[in-house]
Amino acid sequence: QTRTLTINNLTVSTSSLDVHASQRLLYNLMANANAIYSRSTYPATNSPVIAAATTSGTTRNDENFGAGAGLAYSFARVWHANLNYAYRRTTSSSALSNFDHHVVSLSVGCRY
């Protein structure tokens, strides 16, 4: 559990669970997967915008579920490439804060 103090002096309480796994498929190919669940509680606010958008008065509660998978490939001794997909769904008591997030990334790097 973490507590974060925001710039406008609001404390956010978050509880989360992360699970990660990786497996070497070939001598130069790794697969990885992860899953995350978190729940955040934002304090009551005097903001009429947030208050009007929440179903629980002026306190906002968010639930996040995420999952991802990827491959890491090493080649030419010092070069590597990563291909990853990540998904996150946020369900909130504030209608303005519900969303699905999909990210596909490709990176190439050099380690020497």
Side-chain angles (χ1 to χ4, degrees), residues 48-111:
V49 174
I50 295 174
T54 59
T55 57
S56 61
T58 57
T59 300
R60 184 177 127 201
N61 297 303
D62 290 356
E63 285 189 315
N64 295 289
F65 170 77
L71 293 172
Y73 179 69
S74 298
F75 59 96
R77 202 174 69 163
V78 296
W79 290 92
H80 62 276
N82 297 312
L83 176 64
N84 294 295
Y85 169 75
Y87 169 76
R88 183 176 65 170
R89 168 172 277 193
T90 298
T91 306
S92 178
S93 60
S94 170
L96 302 174
S97 298
N98 292 322
F99 63 90
D100 288 341
H101 190 86
H102 299 269
V103 176
V104 175
S105 63
L106 174 65
S107 64
V108 176
C110 177
R111 284 186 222 125

Side-chain angles (χ1 to χ4, degrees), residues 5 28 36 79 92 95:
L5 184 63
N28 61 344
I36 183 171
W79 290 92
S92 178

